[in-house]
Amino acid sequence: MNSVPHWVVIYYAAPLSENVIYECSRRRALLCGPMAESAEHTLMETASEEEALFSNLDIFLFSLIIGFLIYWLVFRKKKEDIPEFKKLDTPETSFIEKMKKTGRNVVVFYGSQTGTGEEFANRLSKDAQRYGMRGMAADPEEYDMSELSRLPEIENSMAVFCMATYGEGDPTDNAQDFYDWLQEGDTHLDGVNYTVFALGNKTYEHYNAMGKYVDKRLEELGAKRIFDLGLGDDDGNLEEDFISWREQFWPAVCEHFGVEATTEESSIRQYELVLHTDVNMNKVYTGELARLKSFETQKPPFDAKNPFLASVNVNRKLNKGGDRHLMHLELDITGSKIRYESGDHVAVYPVNETAMVNQIGQILGVDLDTVFSLNNLDEESNKKHPFPCPTTYRTALTHYLDINNPPRTNVLYELAQYASDPKDQENMRKMASSSTDGKALYQSWVLEARRNILAILQDMPSLRPPIDHLCELLPRLQARYYSIASSSKVHANGIHICAVVVEYQTLTGRVNKGVATNWLKNKLPSDNGHKFTVPMYVRKSQFRLPFKASNPVIMIGPGTGIAPFMGFIQERAWLKAQGKEVGETVLYYGCRHRNEDFLYQDELEEFERTGVITQLNVAFSRDQKQKIYVQHLLKKNKEHLWKLIHTDNAHIYICGDARNMARDVQNTFYEITEEMGGMTRTQAVDYIKKLMTKGRYSQDVWS
């Protein structure tokens, strides 16, 4: 709102009475002394004679002021209009009021990092309709979770929590505030009915930690668990775990509330299709994640919904031989105001392969350049569209939808109605069922064969769904996270990535390619100076160097697990150059062959030569008959390692494969602790667990 400038004074234009003149003069005398007193006498003597004159003067002054105001309003310099994303009306933060307003009695909250938790929450909220209930999926980040205590105000109500665990037992980004609120512990949830389904991966140390905590904490606060905690394991078959839990969950709900299934499961559309035949293409999304034209006019701060377009300055192959492609990329973040620390992750938003998108369009016989919107049929929902709309089918399949991973069973069930061959319809519904045969068929035909939606359409010629329903059902294409392979102390305007290109042949003979790594592989700086860009942002991590540089560090990172340690080593070198006391820097690295895939060999050997790396241990697993891995080298150096850990307060870091390497390394540390510390196995395990609690044993692993 514009305010009147400080130099504008407003006068009251009425004829001045003697009393007013006297009072003004008296105050001026007090303020200004003899000069004002002289003026007072003159004024008093002529006041009655000049009364008409003062009226005219007042009118003149008033007119002058009005003129100034008009000039200021008309000719003042207007604030420059800054283009910004049109802000929608503030969403309702009270989920209780929204439930009352829309007649809902089931709320399904989700903590989701990759979209699976959100997908499961949507499926459960749709299920509620079969039981005469009405559900809504909700992001805890968008609501005031302290209102959970008000849920009993709604008759026959319950809260379901689909909670994923991220990193080292942490909540997902959107569930962080909810987690903090639960920890405060001053809420009473008596009368609140709840259940929890947890999403995790058994290869991680803190398997399903977030889901387990929410389940336990809600009970401690007085809420009533109406069905057992479900544990989903992404290392096994997360979809099967969810279906098995869900099939038992709803009968328990029926029993608790005394309700029955009203209808058979049917296809219920959540969005309606709107085609745009006459649309301004400047209003059509072309891959942006939130703000229209955000890739054309970039504005900080940059985050998951507003990524920065970083130029690819360097893209080189790291390995000298072998059948794999390992690469080193350098992203330019100059001018972005992005800050990062060694150990952080960079998230990149890839796009799907053009050939795949075109094939889907051809099979379904659609014009991929058709502009459309999918609008939520629930007008009260905070989520108006499944992805930014309006857009084209081409953009949706390229930028917004996951067309590479095998679809989940709910997608098959919904698509079955569009198969003209009864046998195809039967098989699709069977794979979506909880029967033993159905699960086995889904496991073999979809998961083990790694059939994505394109392969399914190719192998089922009778299946030809409307493209808009397919777009509604497919999950969102997610960002890919990479451990940053540089230090901001050395590369303030650059972020380095170390990755291996994923490409493999499936049981059907098709070649499947990793979406992000193949997309990054082709972003080569050209000789004419043209540079490709990558939408990215930085996600903070707990994987940090010790606060005291004098503490020794033990780093274990085979393969591309070397990435964060390149940043650590660069930072230790920088600290040393600043004259700081730097403790021992020990690296255990592993690869297949010295002459093929010894990543960053020249850099690492130079760091060792200059004393930055005090001990470089490399395991070449296939250069001899008997395979040698990093854990074998750890065992070989047990005396030195035990001294660093037990006496010198060393910090241990592990990066790489969670399923085998991280577990084997951890078992090796148990053995070293047991042997060198004279402990039992139980004591050794407790010793390592305490190091984890103190932040001296950190893992950055994936499966």
Side-chain angles (χ1 to χ4, degrees), residues 142-197:
E142 295 179 356
Y143 294 99
D144 178 3
M145 294 304 290
S146 66
E147 291 217 325
L148 196 58
S149 59
R150 292 182 55 201
L151 193 60
E153 294 176 15
I154 299 170
E155 189 178 359
N156 284 351
S157 61
M158 69 172 172
V160 184
F161 296 85
C162 292
M163 308 306 295
T165 299
Y166 185 77
E168 294 299 293
D170 302 318
T172 57
D173 290 346
N174 76 311
Q176 183 65 56
D177 291 343
F178 173 51
Y179 175 73
D180 294 340
W181 173 76
L182 282 175
Q183 287 190 309
E184 288 171 9
D186 57 353
T187 304
H188 297 288
L189 300 179
D190 299 329
V192 173
N193 298 310
Y194 81 95
T195 191
V196 178
F197 183 80

Side-chain angles (χ1 to χ4, degrees), residues 542-557:
Q542 301 301 316
F543 203 67
R544 290 278 182 268
L545 278 168
F547 180 74
K548 290 182 180 178
S550 56
N551 283 118
V553 296
I554 302 163
M555 303 171 290
I556 301 113

Side-chain angles (χ1 to χ4, degrees), residues 282-458:
N282 286 323
K283 303 292 184 184
V284 176
Y285 283 87
T286 57
E288 306 94 329
L289 294 166
R291 181 172 59 87
L292 191 65
K293 304 298 178 186
S294 60
F295 289 159
E296 292 179 20
T297 54
Q298 293 250 277
K299 291 188 291 186
F302 297 104
D303 53 28
K305 293 181 180 177
N306 182 37
F308 176 67
L309 284 181
S311 298
V312 180
N313 282 353
V314 175
N315 186 349
R316 62 185 172 92
K317 188 175 180 180
L318 286 171
N319 52 315
K320 300 165 189 171
D323 55 1
R324 298 183 302 162
H325 184 101
L326 296 115
M327 57 190 175
H328 170 86
L329 290 95
E330 297 182 11
L331 307 182
D332 187 354
I333 57 170
T334 303
S336 67
K337 297 183 180 177
I338 290 174
R339 300 288 177 264
Y340 73 94
E341 294 182 59
S342 302
D344 284 343
H345 298 133
V346 58
V348 302
Y349 285 97
V351 300
N352 291 314
E353 197 176 24
T354 303
M356 279 190 72
V357 173
N358 289 338
Q359 282 179 283
I360 291 173
Q362 288 165 7
I363 287 173
L364 298 182
V366 296
D367 177 4
L368 291 175
D369 296 314
T370 301
V371 180
F372 76 107
S373 291
L374 287 177
N375 298 337
N376 203 321
L377 290 165
D378 176 6
E379 294 180 359
E380 297 297 325
S381 174
N382 286 358
K383 189 174 182 179
K384 303 302 179 188
H385 315 282
F387 42 77
C389 291
T391 189
T392 64
Y393 290 125
R394 186 183 306 282
T395 298
L397 292 170
T398 302
H399 293 271
Y400 299 138
L401 299 171
D402 184 350
I403 60 174
N404 281 272
N405 279 313
R408 298 194 185 278
T409 58
N410 66 303
V411 176
L412 299 181
Y413 185 89
E414 296 268 358
L415 293 180
Q417 62 186 302
Y418 302 115
S420 57
D421 185 337
K423 187 67 177 172
D424 287 343
Q425 238 186 66
E426 182 188 341
N427 281 332
M428 291 180 78
R429 290 207 169 102
K430 186 177 180 181
M431 286 188 283
S433 74
S434 57
S435 70
T436 304
D437 289 348
K439 289 178 181 178
L441 183 60
Y442 176 73
Q443 178 70 28
S444 61
W445 198 79
V446 177
L447 295 183
E448 290 174 5
R450 298 299 298 171
R451 277 186 173 89
N452 53 37
I453 190 63
L454 175 58
I456 288 172
L457 290 172
Q458 289 171 336

Side-chain angles (χ1 to χ4, degrees), residues 88-105:
L88 300 173
D89 294 335
T90 305
E92 175 70 70
T93 59
S94 169
F95 67 88
I96 296 295
E97 294 307 319
K98 177 172 279 192
M99 290 174 74
K100 288 180 177 180
K101 185 177 176 182
T102 57
R104 287 169 164 79
N105 55 353

Side-chain angles (χ1 to χ4, degrees), residues 427-553:
N427 281 332
M428 291 180 78
R429 290 207 169 102
K430 186 177 180 181
M431 286 188 283
S433 74
S434 57
S435 70
T436 304
D437 289 348
K439 289 178 181 178
L441 183 60
Y442 176 73
Q443 178 70 28
S444 61
W445 198 79
V446 177
L447 295 183
E448 290 174 5
R450 298 299 298 171
R451 277 186 173 89
N452 53 37
I453 190 63
L454 175 58
I456 288 172
L457 290 172
Q458 289 171 336
D459 293 346
M460 280 191 173
S462 85
L463 178 63
R464 294 296 178 261
I467 192 168
D468 62 287
H469 200 180
L470 182 66
C471 289
E472 176 180 329
L473 292 170
L474 290 174
R476 285 290 297 269
L477 181 60
Q478 298 295 323
R480 273 28 177 203
Y481 296 91
Y482 297 95
S483 301
I484 295 177
S486 55
S487 166
S488 59
K489 298 286 193 296
V490 182
H491 301 281
N493 292 317
I495 286 179
H496 299 181
I497 294 174
C498 172
V500 58
V501 175
V502 177
E503 190 172 310
Y504 60 93
Q505 189 172 44
T506 70
L507 296 177
T508 65
R510 294 178 172 92
V511 174
N512 279 9
K513 296 179 179 180
V515 182
T517 53
N518 279 276
W519 173 72
L520 287 170
K521 176 187 175 184
N522 294 319
K523 291 194 171 288
L524 296 164
S526 63
D527 295 334
N528 62 10
H530 173 73
K531 291 180 181 177
F532 287 100
T533 56
V534 172
M536 53 73 65
Y537 71 95
V538 167
R539 189 183 195 277
K540 296 298 178 184
S541 164
Q542 301 301 316
F543 203 67
R544 290 278 182 268
L545 278 168
F547 180 74
K548 290 182 180 178
S550 56
N551 283 118
V553 296

Side-chain angles (χ1 to χ4, degrees), residues 70-138:
I70 291 169
Y71 175 84
W72 180 75
L73 289 167
V74 175
F75 296 102
R76 66 191 169 91
K77 185 179 179 182
K78 293 185 178 179
K79 274 177 75 176
E80 188 177 349
D81 290 326
I82 300 172
E84 63 173 327
F85 182 48
K86 185 180 177 183
K87 204 169 182 182
L88 300 173
D89 294 335
T90 305
E92 175 70 70
T93 59
S94 169
F95 67 88
I96 296 295
E97 294 307 319
K98 177 172 279 192
M99 290 174 74
K100 288 180 177 180
K101 185 177 176 182
T102 57
R104 287 169 164 79
N105 55 353
V106 178
V107 57
V108 190
F109 293 106
Y110 57 86
S112 183
Q113 196 71 28
T114 63
T116 308
E118 181 180 1
E119 182 190 327
F120 286 180
N122 282 323
R123 288 163 68 176
L124 289 171
S125 67
K126 284 175 75 174
D127 282 347
Q129 196 164 325
R130 293 174 58 202
Y131 302 92
M133 308 175 87
R134 291 197 67 199
M136 62 177 266

Side-chain angles (χ1 to χ4, degrees), residues 200-244:
N201 188 308
K202 267 186 179 167
T203 60
Y204 288 79
E205 177 70 24
H206 305 280
Y207 173 57
N208 271 323
M210 182 61 181
K212 290 174 181 176
Y213 173 76
V214 171
D215 180 63
K216 176 172 169 283
R217 188 66 181 136
L218 290 174
E219 185 180 44
E220 289 173 352
L221 295 174
K224 182 178 181 181
R225 184 189 298 107
I226 60 172
F227 189 64
D228 295 337
L229 166 69
L231 298 175
D233 178 18
D234 200 31
D235 186 51
N237 188 331
L238 183 60
E239 177 72 11
E240 185 176 318
D241 293 338
F242 175 68
I243 288 174
S244 298

